[in-house]
Amino acid sequence: MEIVDIGGVGGFSMRALGARLNIDPTAVYRHFRTKNELLEALADRVVRGDEPLPHTGDPRADLRETFAQLRGSLLRHPTLAPIVLRRPPGGEASWERTNHAIGLLRQAGLPDRQASDAYTTLLFYTLGHALTEARHTAATIARKGPDATVTPITAIGSSASRYPHLAAVADHLAADMREQFHDGLTLILSALAI
Amino acid sequence: MEIVDIGGVGGFSMRALGARLNIDPTAVYRHFRTKNELLEALADRVVRGDEPLPHTGDPRADLRETFAQLRGSLLRHPTLAPIVLRRPPGGEASWERTNHAIGLLRQAGLPDRQASDAYTTLLFYTLGHALTEARHTAATIARKGPDATVTPITAIGSSASRYPHLAAVADHLAADMREQFHDGLTLILSALAI
DNA sequence: ACCTGAACACCGTTCAAGT
DNA sequence: ACCTGAACACCGTTCAAGT
């Protein structure tokens, strides 16, 4: 995880891992069948995150919190985020979080079909949002090193005459993504009447 | 694009491209600075898609259509989908579609700030949804070859006792993803009062 | 049980040389 | 202007051999 956080997924190789562990690179194959399996184990740790799943008793608050946790964890390991999306469903931690979230939606009174749809919508929204933000963070780190301050997404550089609507809302598009994430979450939860 | 659609992004290499074109692999560097730049050009073609942007005059219908187009294009080139997400904003085709969609949201009466937020929400929802479906499609193709019928996502194999909520809605989670996509879109558009 | 080290079959990219 | 081909510095993975 250290190697990935510092050098990005691109900087992670079996040889780099071997060097970090003072071990022959091929020794890793005793513990993971392929490099991909190793990366997926890292991805599962990202989905789990550091904090315990929220249990305040308020489904709406807990739903906001679990998806905020997921977003936070993805942003803490930005270069790993695409792998979270790529890996097939089935990781231990992702099932844990899925089961918890669906439980909250059912607790909020949604019938099974709606709970399932709502979960899918919330998950995809969170993944898409976090990954786009993560992509930007990863690009900044790649350019300026791991300690660089991550600037807000730069305003659109394109000609205002070709893309007038885009130019009109450019300032808002560039605005704080954390706030945008929570606003979007609110939007979806209201639509669900939660 | 042919190489990528058949063998996946993993099967695409400068040497493979050279062989396909009966050309020395290094000749490609006369036309693209890096392999990544070449893949991003492909990703931009995926965002553009085959169909023209919808202009029926009904913002709600056009919004549904443009995001459905994007989803369709992503699913037609499933292994390229993660690259669409990874690349920084700025591709010609993606700006075209962004400008068009924001125009529709403004036409529907949303103020700039809300239009910006709504666009972000709709885009991330569509990307996340399509990419997860694409991931499944790509996995099926990798397992069974390019002509295999893509089966619906398999029901959860895990123990029902450990994840009771997940087991309860498993049938719905496994259901038709196209319908789920449109239901989610409806949910978000209603929340926007469009 | 775990690690080593040579080896295989690949990569992306650079650069001098050709036409 | 465009292509070639050798070369560089890497990859993931396998496998026989060691302890």
Side-chain angles (χ1 to χ4, degrees), chain A residues 82-89 91-96 98-100 102-104 106 112-113 115-122 124-125 127-133 135 153 156-159 162-169 172-175 177 179-180 183-184 187-188 190-192, chain B residues 82-89 91-96 98-100 102-104 106 112-113 115-121 124-125 127-133 135 153 156-159 162-169 172-175 177 179-180 183-185 187-188 190-192:
Chain A
I83 294 181
V84 171
L85 198 76
R86 206 181 354 254
R87 67 191 256 285
E92 202 65 28
S94 90
W95 277 1
E96 204 79 56
T98 299
N99 182 65
H100 175 254
I102 292 177
L104 292 170
R106 298 173 87 208
D112 290 353
R113 169 67 208 270
S116 168
D117 274 16
Y119 170 72
T120 311
T121 302
L122 287 165
F124 293 161
Y125 169 72
L127 283 178
H129 208 292
L131 284 165
T132 303
E133 197 174 350
R135 177 180 71 183
I153 288 180
I156 285 76
S158 161
S159 71
R162 285 188 66 181
Y163 307 115
H165 297 297
L166 217 144
V169 305
H172 301 295
L173 272 177
M177 291 209 60
E179 195 184 327
Q180 278 193 30
D183 287 355
L187 198 76
I188 297 171
S190 327
L192 293 166
Chain B
I83 293 181
V84 172
L85 197 76
R86 206 181 352 252
R87 68 189 255 286
E92 202 65 29
S94 90
W95 276 0
E96 204 79 57
T98 299
N99 183 65
H100 175 254
I102 292 176
L104 293 169
R106 297 174 87 206
D112 290 353
R113 169 65 208 271
S116 167
D117 273 17
Y119 170 71
T120 311
T121 301
F124 293 162
Y125 169 72
L127 283 177
H129 208 291
L131 284 165
T132 304
E133 197 173 349
R135 177 180 72 184
I153 289 181
I156 285 78
S158 160
S159 72
R162 284 188 67 183
Y163 308 114
H165 297 297
L166 217 145
V169 304
H172 301 294
L173 273 178
M177 292 209 61
E179 195 184 327
Q180 278 193 33
D183 288 355
L185 222 48
L187 197 78
I188 296 171
S190 327
L192 293 167

Side-chain angles (χ1 to χ4, degrees), chain A residues 24-159:
Chain A
D24 190 279
T26 63
V28 181
Y29 287 87
R30 205 43 63 174
H31 308 275
F32 292 90
R33 288 224 316 267
T34 61
K35 180 190 177 184
N36 200 49
E37 217 164 76
L38 208 167
L39 285 175
E40 285 180 3
L42 289 181
D44 203 52
R45 284 171 70 137
V46 171
V47 172
R48 181 181 300 109
D50 302 324
E51 303 137 305
L53 295 176
H55 285 102
T56 66
D58 175 1
R60 182 187 166 88
D62 284 359
L63 280 166
R64 296 190 74 102
E65 177 62 14
T66 188
F67 287 108
Q69 283 178 355
L70 180 57
R71 168 181 173 272
S73 191
L74 288 166
L75 295 183
R76 248 172 278 124
H77 308 283
T79 70
L80 227 34
I83 294 181
V84 171
L85 198 76
R86 206 181 354 254
R87 67 191 256 285
E92 202 65 28
S94 90
W95 277 1
E96 204 79 56
R97 198 177 285 281
T98 299
N99 182 65
H100 175 254
I102 292 177
L104 292 170
L105 290 164
R106 298 173 87 208
Q107 187 188 332
L110 296 193
D112 290 353
R113 169 67 208 270
Q114 256 193 64
S116 168
D117 274 16
Y119 170 72
T120 311
T121 302
L122 287 165
L123 176 68
F124 293 161
Y125 169 72
T126 303
L127 283 178
H129 208 292
L131 284 165
T132 303
E133 197 174 350
R135 177 180 71 183
H136 179 251
T137 308
T140 306
I141 287 174
R143 255 202 321 277
K144 307 188 188 172
D147 293 331
T149 309
V150 177
T151 51
I153 288 180
T154 44
I156 285 76
S158 161
S159 71

Side-chain angles (χ1 to χ4, degrees), chain B residues 52-121:
Chain B
L53 296 176
H55 285 103
T56 66
D58 174 2
R60 183 187 166 87
D62 284 358
L63 279 166
R64 296 191 73 104
E65 177 62 14
T66 189
F67 287 108
Q69 283 178 355
L70 181 57
R71 170 181 172 271
S73 190
L74 287 165
L75 294 183
R76 250 172 276 126
H77 309 283
T79 70
L80 227 34
I83 293 181
V84 172
L85 197 76
R86 206 181 352 252
R87 68 189 255 286
E92 202 65 29
S94 90
W95 276 0
E96 204 79 57
R97 197 176 285 282
T98 299
N99 183 65
H100 175 254
I102 292 176
L104 293 169
L105 290 164
R106 297 174 87 206
Q107 187 188 333
L110 296 193
D112 290 353
R113 169 65 208 271
Q114 255 193 68
S116 167
D117 273 17
Y119 170 71
T120 311
T121 301

